[in-house]
Amino acid sequence: NAGVTQTPKFQVLKTGQSMTLQCAQDMNHEYMSWYRQDPGMGLRLIHYSVGAGITDQGEVPNGYNVSRSTTEDFPLRLLSAAPSQTSVYFCASSYSGRHGSGYTFGSGTRLTVV
Amino acid sequence: SQQGEEDPQALSIQEGENATMNCSYKTSINNLQWYRQNSGRGLVHLILIRSNEREKHSGRLRVTLDTSKKSSSLLITASRAADTASYFCATAGHSGNTPLVFGKGTRLSVIA
């Protein structure tokens, strides 16, 4: 049981390049989300999904796209990288439901945009 | 925008002492959760307390929730050097299906 797997662990991009951060979970969780973590800012929600085919925006969605074609995968696409997107990105998953449940986090992708 | 606000921002204690971290939030919640993050790692879920609960225990962890004051506290008893980490509170809105909103965290240092 791998939990939540994020790839790559580290990435350096040039301004204007695009890339996809991968996230996969093997726990059959319906709920998946992407956060970015910047020093002194805590975690901020980028996009989330409550199930395959359903996505919604979080607090800081600009410059990012997501899709959810399967329950297992939730990739995050950077359309045209900017230095302001230098951050650590975390993917998380959980059971959905009215009563809520704890999130399982991946180990993160550290992205630097130069 | 941040929902939870942890206090203090940083805390340094001796091994064996108790550590208390507080979290205040702004709007009604379905549940509140606490997470730990070791340096350079992902977050790990510690405990979830629902809006109709007042206190919950898990091992050396004790969490309280006061919905009238919109606040929660996390107590770690008999702290160990391995407890050194950042601790975050996160809140879920009324439906329970809304995404978690995290605070900025408390950095705990436990000195051996």
Side-chain angles (χ1 to χ4, degrees), chain B residues 46-64:
Chain B
L46 295 176
I47 198 163
L48 180 154
I49 186 165
R50 304 194 192 285
S51 60
N52 61 353
E53 297 175 313
R54 291 296 167 260
E55 187 171 313
K56 219 167 174 183
H57 296 255
S58 176
R60 292 184 297 112
L61 306 180
R62 172 179 168 249
V63 168
T64 61

Side-chain angles (χ1 to χ4, degrees), chain A residues 10-30:
Chain A
F10 302 94
Q11 183 71 48
V12 178
L13 286 180
K14 293 182 179 178
T15 297
Q17 286 185 319
S18 63
M19 80 159 293
T20 299
L21 279 62
Q22 301 292 344
C23 176
Q25 53 92 8
D26 61 358
M27 298 169 285
N28 203 31
H29 285 169
E30 293 182 15

Side-chain angles (χ1 to χ4, degrees), chain B residues 12-76:
Chain B
S12 184
I13 60 173
Q14 296 288 124
E15 205 167 31
E17 293 180 337
N18 295 343
T20 299
M21 288 157 269
N22 302 297
C23 171
S24 59
Y25 57 92
K26 298 171 187 171
T27 61
S28 296
I29 60 171
N30 174 283
N31 66 78
L32 185 144
Q33 304 179 27
W34 286 91
Y35 288 79
R36 183 187 73 233
Q37 183 181 34
N38 291 93
S39 182
R41 309 291 293 272
L43 280 73
V44 175
H45 178 252
L46 295 176
I47 198 163
L48 180 154
I49 186 165
R50 304 194 192 285
S51 60
N52 61 353
E53 297 175 313
R54 291 296 167 260
E55 187 171 313
K56 219 167 174 183
H57 296 255
S58 176
R60 292 184 297 112
L61 306 180
R62 172 179 168 249
V63 168
T64 61
L65 179 64
D66 186 335
T67 53
S68 67
K69 295 182 179 177
K70 291 187 170 59
S71 68
S72 173
S73 68
L74 170 67
L75 168 68
I76 304 173

Side-chain angles (χ1 to χ4, degrees), chain A residues 21-100:
Chain A
L21 279 62
Q22 301 292 344
C23 176
Q25 53 92 8
D26 61 358
M27 298 169 285
N28 203 31
H29 285 169
E30 293 182 15
Y31 209 97
M32 297 185 76
S33 51
W34 277 102
Y35 292 86
R36 59 177 288 174
Q37 184 176 32
D38 302 294
M41 297 293 290
L43 278 80
R44 292 183 292 169
L45 181 67
I46 306 171
H47 286 285
Y48 66 101
S49 169
V50 299
I54 306 168
T55 64
D56 207 345
Q57 296 182 351
E59 180 187 354
V60 289
N62 293 341
Y64 307 95
N65 263 358
V66 291
S67 60
R68 184 95 181 269
S69 55
T70 66
T71 299
E72 294 79 19
D73 300 299
F74 191 42
L76 178 72
R77 278 181 284 278
L78 277 71
L79 309 173
S80 177
S84 61
Q85 293 179 305
T86 293
S87 188
V88 182
Y89 291 83
F90 288 101
C91 178
S93 73
S94 73
Y95 290 110
S96 66
R98 187 167 54 88
H99 299 294

